Amino acid sequence: MDEAILKAENVCYTYEGESSPALKGLSLTIRRGKRIACMGSNGSGKSTFFLCCNGILRPDCGTIYYNGIPLNYSKKGLLSLRSKVGIVFQDPDNQLFSASVAQEISFGPLNLGFSEAETRKKVQDIMDRLLITPFAHKPVHALSGGQKKLTAIADILVMEPELIIFDEPASALDPLHTDLVHDIIGKVTEQGITVLMATHDVNYAYEWADEILIFHEGRLLKGGSPDEIFSDDGLLRTASLKPPLILSILRNPDILNKKGKRCCPISSQ
Amino acid sequence: MIIIDRLCYTSGLRYVNAMEKFVFSMLTLLLCVSSRSVTAAVLVLFVTGILTVGKGGIPLSRYIRLMSIPLVFLFLSTAAVLVNISRTPLDAFAIPFGSFYLTGSVKGILRGAQLILTALASVSCLYFLSLSTPLTDILGVLKKLHVPGLIIELMLLIYRYIFITLHTASAILTSQKSRLGNKNLRTARKAFAAMAGSLFILSVRRSCALYDAMEARCYNGRIQVLKEERPARYSEIFCIAGFEVFLFALIVVLKCKNSI
């Protein structure tokens, strides 16, 4: 299972009207079936890279390979790519366009050419799996933030992609919905779907990911196992990350005793 | 608008076949407007009121408040029919005004009352539809009636984005208020202008993001979504047909009587 599903080679991208590029020669490899966390400060190029993976943005230079084949930007090529690579966007309000939950979820499968009967079944299945059915009859604008997020995830899962990209899936969610979303992502990886996730939650990334990619100023600073990444203090400082709580405690148990004086773990020097 | 939207999702008539509701409301509206009859208008007002409040479960006070919104416009516009300026006083009332009279005739007043009633009855037909049928269901009906897809897609996106834009606007307003943005008229004016400007920019940005997200799901220029349909019931169709036939017959009989 070590073959590369997605590979980026020296990818650059500059947004129209911006002076500095968002991606400056990004190279990385995503292996099939892995759980990959993308970390790095805001503006380090994670979201731009995600849009490139799906063919929404076309790199100014460099190449992206999907299953070893360079991306084909013809209409047909893009449709086939997008049926295999799904993105769950950070803000569900930018993703959900329909006023009805079931209609919203049916958009993808119908675009993929499934018949109405098949789509209906798929939509019902995914709504049952993600516990959406209880609010499926509500209009989208009356849903809570967490419910919108679940709907946005169902939008993509129902298309059964090989690679799913989650752009900060737990941002602005309450603890209950965060757990729910993390649970869903866990089940997705068990099905053998490759998951790429942008997150700022070091604790979750440490626990969940097989591999962590550190983005910094439009490049890949380092990729490696969570242990490798979080033991590199210099790297963490450059990427403005902190080590997971559990590692801080293991390295410096004193911070537990200092509770009350200072309850938050400080990055170990 | 938001209240209507919220109410229609709780209506007892929500799960009735949308085509039935649409046909009932449109046919009744058409008959009511074309007949210009007071009797028909009162009957329609009564029936739609019972359906919306009684069957739909919309609170009566809410319904009356909603019905009173168009009333203001109606009174203003019928004032022109009621009041004349003339040298000779008419039979209903006359207020001398120099050598002129501000005056009205009994016939004019009756006509004004009929106009108001007809307009109110028509509005009640539309309220019946919008207080019982979510917009997505109405779009389904329009699609069945072969309204061009482009128009339906536009309606869908506009509907969804009304709420997003309102939400954004209220968030900006709150943030301005919390920083004393409308302390006095001058700052309030400035804050409002700033909100309008940034709302526009945010809307453009949001629509770009939405387009990206739709493209990511293989959007190919046509918005295809599942139709949500409720089965039509024969008993309901029968009632609707019966009512429309009765209304039509009533109007015809009244017309004949008047012309004799």
Side-chain angles (χ1 to χ4, degrees):
Chain A
M1 288 291 272
D2 256 11
E3 53 166 327
I5 187 167
L6 192 98
K7 200 170 155 197
E9 253 177 27
N10 206 24
V11 170
C12 329
Y13 187 81
T14 310
Y15 283 99
E16 233 178 74
E18 300 273 327
S19 52
S20 62
L23 295 178
K24 303 179 215 170
L26 177 77
S27 299
L28 54 80
T29 306
I30 311 283
R31 283 172 303 149
R32 186 180 291 277
K34 296 284 177 196
R35 294 171 283 205
I36 295 136
C38 297
M39 310 195 76
S41 49
N42 300 115
S44 57
K46 299 183 301 279
S47 297
T48 310
F49 169 63
F50 292 162
L51 291 176
C52 289
C53 294
N54 190 281
I56 301 285
L57 300 180
R58 188 176 183 163
D60 301 331
C61 66
T63 321
I64 296 178
Y65 300 88
Y66 189 75
N67 281 336
I69 304 163
L71 294 196
N72 169 1
Y73 290 91
S74 70
K75 203 172 169 185
K76 218 174 140 199
L78 284 178
L79 281 184
S80 127
L81 173 72
R82 287 169 189 164
S83 67
K84 294 185 192 118
V85 181
I87 306 182
V88 178
F89 288 85
Q90 185 179 357
D91 183 354
D93 269 336
N94 287 343
Q95 185 186 324
L96 310 176
F97 68 88
S98 180
S100 133
V101 173
Q103 289 191 348
E104 171 67 39
I105 300 173
S106 71
F107 179 68
L110 285 176
N111 284 341
L112 291 181
F114 285 104
S115 76
E116 227 167 83
E118 285 171 302
T119 305
R120 210 170 282 277
K121 190 174 174 304
K122 277 174 183 291
V123 169
Q124 193 52 54
D125 281 353
I126 204 77
M127 290 201 302
D128 288 342
R129 251 175 67 201
L130 302 197
L131 311 176
I132 288 174
T133 317
F135 56 84
H137 60 280
K138 275 192 176 180
V140 167
H141 51 81
L143 301 184
S144 75
Q147 292 170 331
K148 278 186 191 165
K149 194 74 195 188
L150 290 180
T151 311
I153 294 175
D155 269 358
I156 307 303
L157 278 185
V158 75
M159 296 173 75
E160 296 171 358
E162 297 174 349
L163 169 67
I164 300 189
I165 298 169
F166 290 93
D167 198 350
E168 297 188 30
S171 67
L173 290 189
D174 59 37
L176 179 79
H177 279 96
T178 306
D179 281 352
L180 207 56
V181 165
H182 285 167
D183 201 43
I184 291 165
I185 295 173
K187 281 184 188 146
V188 167
T189 36
E190 275 166 26
Q191 291 170 19
I193 298 174
T194 314
V195 176
L196 198 60
M197 184 205 297
T199 180
H200 294 298
D201 184 343
V202 284
N203 297 311
Y204 180 64
Y206 181 68
E207 171 193 335
W208 170 81
D210 296 319
E211 196 176 340
I212 294 179
L213 303 175
I214 304 288
F215 283 63
H216 186 61
E217 294 178 348
R219 284 194 198 90
L220 183 72
L221 202 57
K222 189 175 176 177
S225 72
D227 284 319
E228 247 176 275
I229 297 290
F230 287 119
S231 57
D232 188 339
D233 288 335
L235 175 78
L236 294 185
R237 253 196 305 282
T238 323
S240 18
L241 285 172
K242 284 179 178 176
L245 184 57
I246 188 155
L247 282 188
S248 312
I249 295 173
L250 278 176
R251 283 188 212 155
N252 184 9
D254 285 351
I255 56 175
L256 282 181
N257 306 331
K258 285 183 193 161
K259 213 177 166 189
K261 262 193 201 162
R262 175 162 210 147
C263 60
C264 309
I266 41 169
S267 60
S268 41
Q269 298 299 313
Chain B
M1 146 107 218
I2 295 178
I3 294 165
I4 293 178
D5 187 72
R6 203 175 305 147
L7 286 173
C8 81
Y9 278 93
T10 58
S11 166
L13 295 170
R14 184 187 160 190
Y15 294 116
V16 173
N17 179 279
M19 186 61 104
E20 286 177 22
K21 291 184 278 191
F22 186 80
V23 168
F24 167 75
S25 137
M26 288 303 135
L27 259 184
T28 314
L29 175 71
L30 207 74
L31 285 174
C32 184
V33 171
S34 57
S35 76
R36 299 183 170 239
S37 130
V38 175
T39 325
V42 170
L43 180 70
V44 169
L45 262 178
F46 189 69
V47 169
T48 52
I50 284 189
L51 282 175
T52 309
V53 177
K55 284 257 175 194
I58 307 295
L60 183 65
S61 58
R62 248 280 125 73
Y63 186 64
I64 291 174
R65 235 181 303 159
L66 283 171
M67 287 294 282
S68 65
I69 299 171
L71 215 57
V72 181
F73 297 98
L74 284 176
F75 275 121
L76 284 178
S77 50
T78 40
V81 181
L82 293 178
V83 179
N84 289 305
I85 296 170
S86 150
R87 277 179 192 281
T88 48
L90 294 170
D91 47 1
F93 64 90
I95 303 160
F97 208 65
S99 63
F100 289 92
Y101 288 98
L102 207 62
T103 179
S105 65
V106 173
K107 214 177 149 197
I109 289 175
L110 284 178
R111 185 158 161 64
Q114 180 259 314
L115 271 179
I116 287 179
L117 274 174
T118 305
L120 265 186
S122 315
V123 169
S124 80
C125 292
L126 292 176
Y127 270 141
F128 164 76
L129 186 66
S130 50
L131 284 171
S132 68
T133 319
L135 189 97
T136 45
D137 291 4
I138 298 181
L139 293 182
V141 171
L142 293 181
K143 196 163 193 178
K144 266 197 167 170
L145 297 174
H146 299 290
V147 172
L150 183 69
I151 293 177
I152 295 178
E153 285 164 20
L154 269 177
M155 282 173 78
L156 177 72
L157 292 178
I158 290 171
Y159 174 69
R160 170 91 179 100
Y161 267 74
I162 284 173
F163 289 97
I164 292 185
T165 312
L166 278 178
H167 190 80
T168 316
S170 89
I172 296 176
L173 242 131
T174 310
S175 104
Q176 287 178 342
K177 266 188 213 156
S178 68
R179 283 175 287 161
L180 299 178
N182 33 16
K183 192 178 66 183
N184 55 41
L185 190 65
R186 203 178 58 84
T187 59
R189 219 169 41 208
K190 253 194 179 161
F192 185 78
M195 182 194 72
S198 53
L199 204 56
F200 174 72
I201 294 166
L202 283 173
S203 309
V204 172
R205 198 175 295 168
R206 265 192 192 280
S207 69
C208 290
L210 177 80
Y211 185 73
D212 282 353
M214 284 168 76
E215 278 231 290
R217 283 198 281 158
C218 304
Y219 175 57
N220 51 12
R222 303 269 314 130
I223 297 180
Q224 314 175 62
V225 289
L226 276 184
K227 288 193 266 307
E228 289 175 353
E229 266 182 46
R230 317 278 163 199
R233 288 214 190 89
Y234 283 114
S235 57
E236 289 161 0
I237 297 178
F238 187 75
C239 286
I240 294 170
F243 176 73
E244 300 304 335
V245 169
F246 174 71
L247 189 63
F248 185 70
L250 180 79
I251 291 164
V252 171
V253 168
L254 285 171
K255 279 264 144 85
C256 291
K257 227 165 105 191
N258 281 357
S259 57
I260 293 166

